[in-house]
Amino acid sequence: MKKRANWLLIPAVALALGACKKKEDVKSPEVPSPVAEAISKVQDAVAAVTSGPALSAEERAAKLGFAKHLPQDTEVLLSFYDGTKIANRFKGTRLWKLIQQEMGGGAEEMDSEEGVDEAPENEADAATEPMGPAALFGTEFTLALGKSTGEQTGHLLTASRRMNYFQMRSIARAFGAAMKSGNLPPLGDSMFEDPELFKDLLKDPQSGIALFEKAKMPPMYMAFRTKEADRPAAAQQLAALVANVNMLEGMVEPVILENAGLKFEGVKILGAKVSATMAEERESMEEELDAATVDQLLAVLAKKDLVIASGTVGDYVLLFIGGSTDDFKLTTDLGKSMVASDALAFSDAYASKELAALVYGQKEPMENLMESAGGIADMTNGLRDGLAGVEGLGDTRDLEAMLQIVAEREAALRKLTSVDSLCTVAFLEDGLKIESCGGVDSGMVDQKSANKLAGLGDSEDVVLFANLTGDAAYDEKSRDYLEALLEAAYALTMKVAEAPMEGEEMARFKEMALMVDGKFRSDLLALWDAFSNDFGGSLGNESAPVIDLKGGAPAVPGIPQPVLDQAKVPRISIIAPVTDRAKLAGSWDKMNSTLTGTLAKISEMTGQEIPMQKPMSSERSGNTTWFFPMPFLTDDFVPSVTVGDKWFAASTSKNHALDLIAKAESGGETRTGFWLTMNFQALEKYSNETLKLVEENAEAMMGSPLPEEQKDNIRKAISVLADLDKLTVHTRQEGALQRSSVHFKTR
């Protein structure tokens, strides 16, 4: 069994090394077709953020670094700049000092009054310089993936999807066989270790040997910018890393890569040699696979080489990994590099900024990845096909049909996703800012409708605020998808409960499942219908959760009166517009009558009367607040629902809900897309005030003063917030592209 595991790892590893491949080769030095198709969109995005002219290739090269050496068919680019400077800034924060103290690092005491020293402005001012391998990441590090990345990553995702399919099919078949025999082993038992699973996977047209034959390691470049004095030592570090591969004696040969006047040295792991080594274990392989499949596997593996080499280009030392020597395609000609195309045009608007990172992803590979990515449908399809024809579960055709509906509704939901080329820049300005255009849009947010609740997060006491308008088509299809999942899961549960199985655990499961189905199935369906259709259909698509720190404390016995008078508790609310108040009222009537009946059934089963509680209500300005009576509640601390002709709010505070409704009614700022803010200043102020209140009343509350060590630890934790100001996230549509802005503001 161990031998089988060893040789089965070979194709998996080889496929993993082939993490990506595009469908068409570039026929000339011109911009590749997927980039060309996106030029107008990229230019629109650039125009939206800057009125200045696009940068020249030379100007981009000076700012973006190693991108000037990458060919224009590069599919993925990730560059990180000034790693040492950013690390030193982080080391100057209270958070880092707290981490060091907790780890026993001997850091200096945190000074919450005077703050922390500012981070050094350049590497020369840093207290410490990175040494050894860490120095390679100190100035600029770039990871780039060349042509074929998207396709090859798609192969990996396909293999993963098909593995999920075969695993679930195997489980369904094994489960059916166990039902037929009347003996169900515990989950995780050998019943689920199907020896045929890997055979099925290898023979599968979608993911087996046919897919393995397509697999190839795409070009991968890891570049490290170095100072001239440090370059020889850095190059030696990478060369020594490559030399370690020579430990695979008999499977490697030296190789020299030459392109555009560049010369790299390294090794090639020979697929033919690996295949020959595997052939020595052919006898054990044929215990699991037929001879023809073994022949195919060995023949395909013989074609899979892996090239690893290192060298220098300009200011950079570089490690290259690829499937062949022909994949090495760096350039020293700016006109043929990424910086000469419009792929990185979005970054031009931020050329004056202190860049921390640059990310680029080409559209076509990203589309390939989204098409290859799996979902729940792979598992439900496996269950469906595994159930077909099994005898232990009786007639499963209805269940199979339900599982098929799950797959169809998931596919319909996925069709709403759109993909475009992604370009992201991160830069240091009042903290960290991240600006992006393009990428993946799931379709969940209505990017065109104006959000009328945008102004509800303006108060300085609001610690968390979010706002979006959901897309109507997405909401409908996601609800249909969820319903199909729930129906299939329920049907599968009942099918198992009806099986002729014995055993104490199975008996309890059957009793519970049949009791729920017999007594509560109609209640569950009625509640779901009232919630998803009536309630959901009575509200608009916009919503806004709001958390502030102004709530009054409930009058809980045992808490000193000064604490109750001064303490503030978070108020949590979510508000949405009402589109059909009659339908909204009807949804509650259905829920109330259903729950009343449900409690009556539970009372009958338990022999203890459990009456349905009747809500109380109060009115103000045409809005009715409903709540269940409970001890110690106040208007500022009462879980409740407030409803009017225009607005609905669910909240922990009646006052908060009414304040939000009044503010929403007055109108004000609007915004499109998704918006989120988190206010760290408000959280710091609240934390300090709460600590002070506890200190002053500790004896009355706990019988003794708060220990100094405990107070000190709390102060240190709170002081971390003194470095932070606010986090804001905004995604929206600008022109033809999705735009995203993130600002992690510091003080």
Side-chain angles (χ1 to χ4, degrees), residues 653-730:
S653 165
K654 169 187 170 182
N655 289 345
H656 193 215
L658 291 169
D659 289 347
L660 291 175
I661 288 175
K663 193 170 183 179
E665 185 64 25
S666 65
E669 179 184 3
T670 62
R671 187 187 293 118
T672 60
F674 168 75
W675 177 270
L676 179 143
T677 60
M678 185 167 184
N679 189 341
F680 296 104
Q681 288 196 50
L683 186 59
E684 180 194 18
K685 178 183 176 183
Y686 173 78
S687 300
N688 282 322
E689 290 176 351
T690 302
L691 176 59
K692 180 181 179 183
L693 186 62
V694 172
E695 285 183 277
E696 292 173 349
N697 296 275
E699 287 201 44
M701 293 172 64
M702 298 174 288
S704 63
L706 201 63
E708 286 299 323
E709 182 179 359
Q710 188 175 352
K711 287 192 292 186
D712 188 51
N713 289 335
I714 295 173
R715 289 194 191 100
K716 287 177 181 177
I718 295 174
S719 71
V720 169
L721 297 171
D723 289 333
L724 310 177
D725 189 325
K726 183 180 289 187
L727 170 67
T728 61
V729 179
H730 186 201

Side-chain angles (χ1 to χ4, degrees), residues 435-745:
E435 295 287 343
S436 301
C437 75
V440 178
D441 181 1
S442 68
M444 182 180 72
V445 178
D446 180 349
Q447 302 284 10
K448 297 179 181 179
S449 296
N451 296 335
K452 299 178 181 179
L453 302 174
L456 299 189
D458 293 343
S459 171
E460 63 181 15
D461 293 297
V462 172
V463 69
L464 181 67
F465 170 73
N467 184 209
L468 64 83
T469 298
D471 182 82
Y474 186 94
D475 288 347
E476 180 182 357
K477 292 186 183 299
S478 61
R479 184 170 61 248
D480 291 344
Y481 177 43
L482 180 58
E483 284 182 354
L485 274 174
L486 293 175
E487 288 174 1
Y490 193 89
L492 180 60
T493 300
M494 296 315 303
K495 182 63 68 174
V496 173
E498 294 166 1
M501 298 291 296
E502 298 180 356
E504 184 178 344
E505 291 184 4
M506 191 63 188
R508 285 199 299 267
F509 172 79
K510 282 185 177 184
E511 181 181 3
M512 179 63 69
L514 294 175
M515 182 266 293
V516 170
D517 184 61
K519 286 186 173 292
F520 300 108
R521 183 173 186 273
S522 59
D523 295 348
L524 293 173
L525 291 174
L527 286 173
W528 174 256
D529 179 66
F531 178 78
S532 65
N533 294 321
D534 295 330
F535 177 76
S538 65
L539 301 181
N541 292 321
E542 185 181 0
S543 62
V546 187
I547 302 177
D548 76 4
L549 304 171
K550 295 174 60 177
V556 178
I559 302 297
Q561 192 62 45
V563 175
L564 295 176
D565 292 340
Q566 300 176 55
K568 299 296 181 184
V569 298
R571 302 189 299 183
I572 305 171
S573 301
I574 183 167
I575 180 172
V578 171
T579 57
D580 190 334
R581 185 168 184 178
K583 194 172 186 179
L584 181 60
S587 70
W588 165 247
D589 289 339
K590 287 184 180 179
M591 291 183 194
N592 184 51
S593 61
T594 301
L595 289 172
T596 299
T598 301
L599 288 174
K601 294 175 185 178
I602 295 175
S603 298
E604 181 182 349
M605 293 170 57
T606 60
Q608 182 178 358
E609 188 69 24
I610 307 176
M612 179 65 180
Q613 298 297 305
K614 295 183 178 181
M616 298 178 65
S617 66
S618 64
E619 293 193 23
R620 186 200 299 177
S621 304
N623 296 294
T624 303
T625 299
W626 296 91
F627 57 94
F628 289 104
M630 288 183 285
F632 322 128
L633 296 183
T634 67
D635 282 346
D636 216 19
F637 190 89
V638 53
S640 56
V641 168
T642 300
V643 183
D645 290 334
K646 294 184 178 180
W647 303 102
F648 167 89
S651 180
T652 61
S653 165
K654 169 187 170 182
N655 289 345
H656 193 215
L658 291 169
D659 289 347
L660 291 175
I661 288 175
K663 193 170 183 179
E665 185 64 25
S666 65
E669 179 184 3
T670 62
R671 187 187 293 118
T672 60
F674 168 75
W675 177 270
L676 179 143
T677 60
M678 185 167 184
N679 189 341
F680 296 104
Q681 288 196 50
L683 186 59
E684 180 194 18
K685 178 183 176 183
Y686 173 78
S687 300
N688 282 322
E689 290 176 351
T690 302
L691 176 59
K692 180 181 179 183
L693 186 62
V694 172
E695 285 183 277
E696 292 173 349
N697 296 275
E699 287 201 44
M701 293 172 64
M702 298 174 288
S704 63
L706 201 63
E708 286 299 323
E709 182 179 359
Q710 188 175 352
K711 287 192 292 186
D712 188 51
N713 289 335
I714 295 173
R715 289 194 191 100
K716 287 177 181 177
I718 295 174
S719 71
V720 169
L721 297 171
D723 289 333
L724 310 177
D725 189 325
K726 183 180 289 187
L727 170 67
T728 61
V729 179
H730 186 201
T731 64
R732 70 277 185 196
Q733 197 83 14
E734 288 186 1
L737 282 180
Q738 178 174 260
R739 287 275 284 110
S740 174
S741 300
V742 178
H743 186 189
F744 192 72
K745 188 177 180 181

Side-chain angles (χ1 to χ4, degrees), residues 262 303 400:
L262 304 173
K303 303 174 186 177
E400 292 168 40

Side-chain angles (χ1 to χ4, degrees), residues 146-265:
K147 184 176 173 61
S148 82
T149 297
E151 184 179 347
Q152 294 298 334
T153 303
H155 293 337
L156 282 176
L157 293 174
T158 297
S160 176
R161 286 196 303 105
R162 297 301 290 169
M163 174 64 81
N164 289 337
Y165 167 84
F166 284 117
Q167 285 179 329
M168 297 310 293
R169 192 184 71 170
S170 174
I171 288 174
R173 288 177 174 176
F175 200 78
M179 290 296 181
K180 184 179 180 181
S181 68
N183 180 26
L184 178 66
L187 289 177
D189 203 79
S190 59
M191 134 184 173
F192 297 116
E193 296 181 7
D194 184 0
E196 300 296 314
L197 191 149
F198 285 103
K199 293 182 184 179
D200 293 337
L201 190 65
L202 286 174
K203 294 178 180 179
D204 178 38
Q206 295 185 46
S207 62
I209 293 178
L211 183 67
F212 182 34
E213 190 162 5
K214 300 176 186 177
K216 180 184 178 184
M217 179 68 197
M220 181 169 71
Y221 308 92
M222 288 184 282
F224 307 86
R225 189 167 191 166
T226 56
K227 298 176 182 177
E228 185 175 359
D230 300 333
R231 199 162 301 134
Q236 182 58 39
Q237 287 184 51
L238 292 187
L241 180 65
V242 174
N244 288 334
V245 181
N246 287 311
M247 290 188 296
L248 299 173
E249 296 181 7
M251 297 186 188
V252 299
E253 67 178 20
V255 67
I256 295 178
L257 308 181
E258 295 186 80
N259 182 61
L262 304 173
K263 184 177 180 180
F264 279 48
E265 297 183 359

